[in-house]
Amino acid sequence: MRNIAQENLYVTPNIRIEDTYNPLNLGLGFKVRIVPKLIFDAFVDYKIIKDQYFYTNAPVLSATNTYLNTFDVVYSDAKVFDASASLTYDWSEKVTAFVKGAYHKWNCKEIDYAWYKPEYDVEAGVSYRVIRDFELSLSYNLLGNRRYETPEGTVEKMRTLHDLRFNATYDISPNVSVFAECHNMTGAQYELWYGYPAMRFNCLAGFIFVF
């Protein structure tokens, strides 16, 4: 349940996810150093999944309204093909840049679409190690072509997710770190889940303890 709550904060509290089964999982990948500081990595994967779960809005009825602020799951046998590629450039011992993208093709037996699963995603970023224990990073994430089913049974496409974020981390000791991170620095409007718009520009700071 903990992993599900981390994946979707708004899932129905008493939900229990049934086990899934992968009768087939084939993957092939390679990594090559194009030039001394540039690495290219590619991977393709094909899976057959029994009883894969997908999130759907769970209507909650009151005397006067129907609320859609929690999520249930539906199950479907599915086949999924994934293809991904990435480039990583080690500019120096202090500076590293990367870009990666992935394409996901779902074919579901019992439902029309793989609800809330992106058809493609892109991530790019650069990190700078100021000193040994202090690192800054800037990254960009994109998720596209996510679909969901409305309570009326129609299929809608969610707005593409764009997230530009900044992160700073300082290691006080091998067990203690402090961090600060800012998300959605462009103030983009999108929904993480139907009915839950992402916060505009927001920041978070805290400590990390490793025991």
Side-chain angles (χ1 to χ4, degrees), residues 5-198:
Q6 291 175 341
E7 189 176 75
N8 186 341
L9 293 173
Y10 315 109
V11 70
T12 303
N14 59 353
I15 195 170
R16 182 188 181 280
I17 302 297
E18 301 296 332
D19 294 333
T20 60
Y21 169 58
N22 289 26
L24 181 66
N25 189 346
L26 299 175
L28 177 66
F30 69 93
K31 181 183 291 187
V32 59
R33 188 176 294 274
I34 301 174
V35 294
K37 295 183 178 182
L38 182 64
I39 297 174
F40 176 73
D41 190 357
F43 187 78
V44 293
D45 179 73
Y46 178 77
K47 292 190 290 285
I48 296 177
I49 309 172
K50 299 292 186 181
D51 295 324
Q52 172 65 42
Y53 66 90
F54 301 92
Y55 294 109
T56 59
N57 287 84
V60 178
L61 303 178
S62 72
T64 56
N65 291 296
T66 299
Y67 298 96
L68 299 171
N69 57 351
T70 61
F71 286 82
D72 203 345
V73 297
V74 294
Y75 296 92
S76 176
D77 293 344
K79 300 174 183 177
V80 57
F81 171 78
D82 299 304
S84 62
S86 67
L87 282 170
T88 303
Y89 186 67
D90 295 321
W91 184 275
S92 66
E93 292 185 357
K94 291 188 173 184
V95 181
T96 299
F98 73 91
V99 59
K100 58 183 179 181
Y103 170 76
H104 316 280
K105 177 62 176 178
W106 286 85
N107 184 1
C108 300
K109 185 177 180 180
E110 283 82 23
I111 57 179
D112 294 331
Y113 292 95
W115 307 127
Y116 290 102
K117 301 289 188 182
E119 185 176 336
Y120 58 88
D121 57 82
V122 177
E123 184 177 2
V126 59
S127 63
Y128 174 57
R129 188 164 292 278
V130 182
I131 57 176
R132 187 184 66 177
D133 300 321
F134 182 41
E135 184 177 63
L136 304 175
S137 65
L138 184 69
S139 63
Y140 167 77
N141 290 81
L142 179 151
L143 296 178
N145 280 5
R146 295 177 298 149
R147 293 177 172 86
Y148 67 94
E149 186 177 28
T150 68
E152 293 77 23
T154 60
V155 177
E156 300 288 344
K157 186 181 293 186
M158 302 192 74
R159 182 174 292 184
T160 300
L161 183 155
H162 300 275
D163 183 16
L164 180 65
R165 57 192 180 189
F166 170 80
N167 182 275
T169 304
Y170 180 72
D171 298 324
I172 299 174
S173 73
N175 303 100
V176 181
S177 301
V178 294
F179 72 92
E181 56 187 36
C182 296
H183 290 264
N184 200 7
M185 295 174 63
T186 61
Q189 291 182 299
Y190 59 86
E191 289 182 315
L192 299 172
W193 304 96
Y194 175 64
Y196 287 94

